[in-house]
Amino acid sequence: MSDELEIYLYGSEILRTRCDPVDSFDDSLRELYEGMVRAMNREEGIGLAAPQVGRALRLLIARDERDGWPRVLPLVNPELIFLSRERGGLEEGCLSLPGITAEVQRPVRVKVRYQDLEGKEQELEDDGLLARIIQHEHDHLEGILFVDHLSLIKRKLLSKKLKALQQRAREV
Ligand SMILES: [Zn+2]
């Protein structure tokens, strides 16, 4: 379907853009959210940020399975207001970097303040997978990718794959 959102790949300029705050909480925001949920589910992801579908806006979505009822949370204008000093390593991947995974060290617990689709302020705190997804997706809003967190040596090992992706991004 032509109105489905496409995922932008590593090498696309928008993935290196610092995104703008969302200031109108209207139908177009809900449509963007719903389009992102479809794109994420289609690609079997667990999180997605607006720049990955070509929109430089501070909106991310994250799969939330905390209470055993999977749903997809929209976080608008998220701010990480607490990051634990305790860090942990976890294997990460990214829909914009298909075929690449690597262990990334990040704070274990986060607290995030954000707005929902109606513009109402919300807060959540987590120390599980959701905390990880939110940090990964929040990075996207700053133009940061998970491979940026890797050591030079690890990135060197991935450089062939990264170059191939860049080439693909140029061809799309
Ligand atoms: Zn990502």
Side-chain angles (χ1 to χ4, degrees), residues 14-22 32 36 48-53 55-61 74-80 112-114 133-145:
I14 193 153
L15 296 178
R16 291 309 194 177
T17 306
R18 188 164 193 277
C19 297
D20 297 322
V22 171
L32 176 59
M36 284 170 65
L48 194 65
Q52 292 182 276
V53 294
R55 305 285 299 274
L57 286 172
R58 302 186 81 80
L59 163 66
L60 65 85
I61 62 173
L75 279 73
V76 185
N77 299 324
E79 270 178 86
L80 301 176
V112 60
R113 184 177 294 151
Y114 63 99
I133 298 170
I134 287 170
Q135 291 178 78
H136 174 117
E137 303 308 336
H138 184 267
D139 270 356
H140 277 299
L141 308 183
E142 300 293 329
I144 298 167
L145 300 171

Side-chain angles (χ1 to χ4, degrees), residues 4-7 32-49 52-53 61-65 70-73 95 133 137:
E4 291 299 292
L5 295 172
E6 226 180 284
I7 307 283
L32 176 59
Y33 161 69
E34 285 167 0
M36 284 170 65
V37 172
R38 281 196 303 272
M40 184 183 82
N41 290 336
R42 184 183 72 220
E43 308 289 338
E44 299 179 346
I46 52 174
L48 194 65
Q52 292 182 276
V53 294
I61 62 173
R63 199 170 156 86
D64 177 13
E65 296 188 344
R71 60 207 167 111
V72 181
L73 281 182
L95 295 182
I133 298 170
E137 303 308 336

Side-chain angles (χ1 to χ4, degrees), residues 45-47 52 87-108 110 128-140 144-150 154 158 161-162:
I46 52 174
Q52 292 182 276
R87 295 165 73 86
L90 209 72
E91 194 86 357
E92 291 189 25
C94 180
L95 295 182
S96 295
L97 292 98
I100 295 179
T101 58
E103 190 185 291
V104 182
Q105 296 284 331
R106 294 186 192 268
V108 169
V110 301
L129 184 60
L130 184 60
R132 177 61 62 142
I133 298 170
I134 287 170
Q135 291 178 78
H136 174 117
E137 303 308 336
H138 184 267
D139 270 356
H140 277 299
I144 298 167
L145 300 171
F146 81 93
V147 287
D148 301 340
H149 293 286
L150 304 178
K154 276 194 186 168
L158 291 173
K161 283 185 175 176
L162 291 173

